[in-house]
């Protein structure tokens, strides 16, 4: 749900692409390849190609570096005890011991552990959103992905940690109606608060004016809230009915990969539409 700096202008009409309707919202993904406008001469085109190749190289290095680091950490969780182990034994104990390491991190520093998980999930969610919108896998907007990951790291992980404990204190009962009550509370009060925080903070990170952010939030608040009702009530029956409180954020963040993709797509679609409208107005006034 983050847009990078000043996004490239989009044509008024869709040039191919795909569209999915979620909760009454149309998410348009441009599936066509990005082209360069002519008329700037061969030198300009060459410079643009060079910048594009540089961006692609940086993005490729980021993706491969992060993937290699993550896989290495997962595979080497038992490296201190590998002496005499076979490959089969390493792979056999890897899931169990990674889970034990995660549980130990929750005991040692639960807020930081959850912040890191949410930061990763929100970065991945935005990357998936950009790919859905039609961008090649290594031509994503780094600033946009960084902003989404920053919000996930600094706000979602920490706030969710305290929210789930608050929810347990608010509903300390063991009756059958407690799980549905928690789901209703989550999908009204908490969802309204978090969606607003996510949308507003990303707007400020895009250097948008408070008036613009307020206007967009008013127009999207109810559609985004109701869109979540097609996904989260079912997921939260598991969240509040089966998952222990300390493990809830991990489960929720797995589902968040879908939801962040929706949020990120919609937020940036609104930003791009506004930038395109501003550019069209500016061009009309210059004619």
């Amino acid at each position: 749900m983050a847009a990078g700096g000043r996004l490239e202008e989009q044509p008024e009409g869709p040039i191919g692409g795909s569209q999915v309707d979620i909760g009454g919202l149309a998410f348009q993904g441009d599936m066509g390849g990005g082209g360069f406008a002519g008329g700037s001469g061969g030198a300009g085109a060459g410079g643009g190609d060079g910048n594009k190749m540089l961006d692609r190289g940086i993005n490729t290095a980021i993706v491969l570096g992060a993937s290699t680091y993550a896989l290495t950490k997962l595979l080497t969780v038992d490296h201190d005890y590998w002496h005499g182990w076979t490959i089969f034994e390493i792979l056999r104990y890897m899931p169990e011991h990674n889970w034990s390491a995660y549980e130990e991190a929750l005991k040692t520093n639960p807020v930081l552990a959850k912040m890191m998980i949410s930061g990763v999930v929100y970065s991945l969610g935005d990357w998936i959103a950009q790919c859905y919108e039609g961008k090649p896998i290594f031509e994503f907007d780094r600033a946009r992905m960084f902003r989404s990951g920053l919000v996930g790291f600094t706000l979602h992980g920490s706030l969710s940690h305290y929210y789930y404990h608050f929810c347990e204190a608010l509903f300390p009962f063991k009756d059958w109606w407690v799980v549905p009550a928690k789901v209703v509370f989550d999908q009204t009060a908490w969802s309204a608060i978090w969606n607003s925080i996510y949308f507003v903070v990303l707007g400020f990170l895009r250097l948008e004016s408070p008036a613009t952010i307020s206007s967009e939030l008013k127009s999207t608040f109810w559609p985004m809230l109701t869109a979540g009702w097609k996904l989260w009530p079912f997921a939260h029956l598991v969240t509040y009915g089966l998952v222990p409180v300390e493990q809830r954020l991990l489960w929720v963040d797995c589902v968040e990969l879908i939801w962040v993709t929706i949020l990120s797509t919609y937020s940036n679609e609104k930003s791009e539409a506004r930038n395109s409208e501003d550019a069209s107005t500016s061009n009309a006034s210059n004619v």
Side-chain angles (χ1 to χ4, degrees):
M1 179 181 164
R6 178 156 182 91
L7 298 175
E8 61 272 13
E9 297 173 14
Q10 301 294 325
E12 294 183 359
I15 306 177
S18 62
Q19 182 171 337
V20 58
D21 184 85
I22 302 178
L25 301 177
F27 300 94
Q28 181 69 40
D30 179 12
M31 303 304 291
F36 291 95
S40 59
D49 288 341
N51 291 335
K52 188 175 181 179
M53 289 296 295
L54 178 61
D55 276 344
R56 186 181 297 170
I58 294 173
N59 290 348
T60 302
I62 291 173
V63 172
L64 294 181
S67 301
T68 301
Y69 175 79
L71 287 173
T72 300
K73 293 293 287 184
L74 291 172
L75 289 171
T76 60
V77 64
D78 292 316
H79 69 279
D80 292 334
Y81 313 101
W82 274 0
H83 184 70
W85 283 25
T86 65
I87 295 295
F88 173 77
E89 287 174 322
I90 293 174
L91 295 178
R92 175 187 175 186
Y93 292 110
M94 181 187 68
E96 177 185 350
H97 291 175
N98 272 293
W99 181 257
S100 298
Y102 169 68
E103 289 187 318
E104 185 62 30
L106 287 179
K107 295 176 182 177
T108 305
N109 199 332
V111 177
L112 180 60
K114 294 171 184 178
M115 288 170 66
M116 293 180 67
I117 292 173
S118 289
V120 170
V121 166
Y122 272 65
S123 298
L124 283 175
D126 186 81
W127 184 31
I128 294 171
Q130 293 192 48
C131 292
Y132 169 76
E133 291 163 15
K135 292 182 180 180
I137 191 171
F138 293 126
E139 294 183 14
F140 55 89
D141 185 334
R142 293 188 301 277
R144 168 181 159 175
M145 185 176 73
F146 172 77
R147 281 192 292 270
S148 186
L150 182 64
V151 174
F153 176 78
T154 58
L155 295 174
H156 183 262
S158 55
L159 292 179
S160 294
H161 169 79
Y162 294 111
Y163 161 71
Y164 287 123
H165 284 281
F166 169 75
C167 194
E168 288 302 298
L170 188 64
F171 300 98
F173 313 104
K174 301 297 182 181
D175 302 280
W176 67 268
W177 54 268
V178 172
V179 171
K182 289 178 180 178
V183 173
V184 171
F185 181 78
D186 187 291
Q187 287 304 289
T188 52
W190 173 241
S191 289
I193 292 171
W194 173 245
N195 288 350
S196 299
I197 290 173
Y198 186 60
F199 208 99
V200 169
V201 173
L202 283 176
F204 279 116
L205 290 176
R206 288 195 295 261
L207 304 180
E208 296 175 348
S209 68
T212 299
I213 296 173
S214 176
S215 175
E216 290 186 354
L217 181 60
K218 289 178 181 178
S219 66
T220 58
F221 176 83
W222 182 250
M224 289 307 301
L225 185 65
T226 55
W229 295 347
K230 292 189 175 183
L231 171 67
W232 284 111
F234 306 102
H236 281 325
L237 289 175
V238 176
T239 303
Y240 296 109
L242 300 176
V243 183
V245 63
E246 283 299 329
Q247 310 290 353
R248 283 177 186 169
L249 188 63
L250 180 62
W251 156 251
V252 168
D253 274 342
C254 291
V255 184
E256 284 271 7
L257 279 175
I258 301 172
W259 181 238
V260 174
T261 301
I262 296 171
L263 282 178
S264 182
T265 300
Y266 190 64
S267 174
N268 286 282
E269 183 183 68
K270 296 288 288 185
S271 178
E272 291 181 16
R274 188 187 62 259
N275 287 339
S276 179
E277 181 179 338
D278 292 344
S280 299
T281 303
S282 177
N283 291 336
S285 63
N286 292 332
V287 173

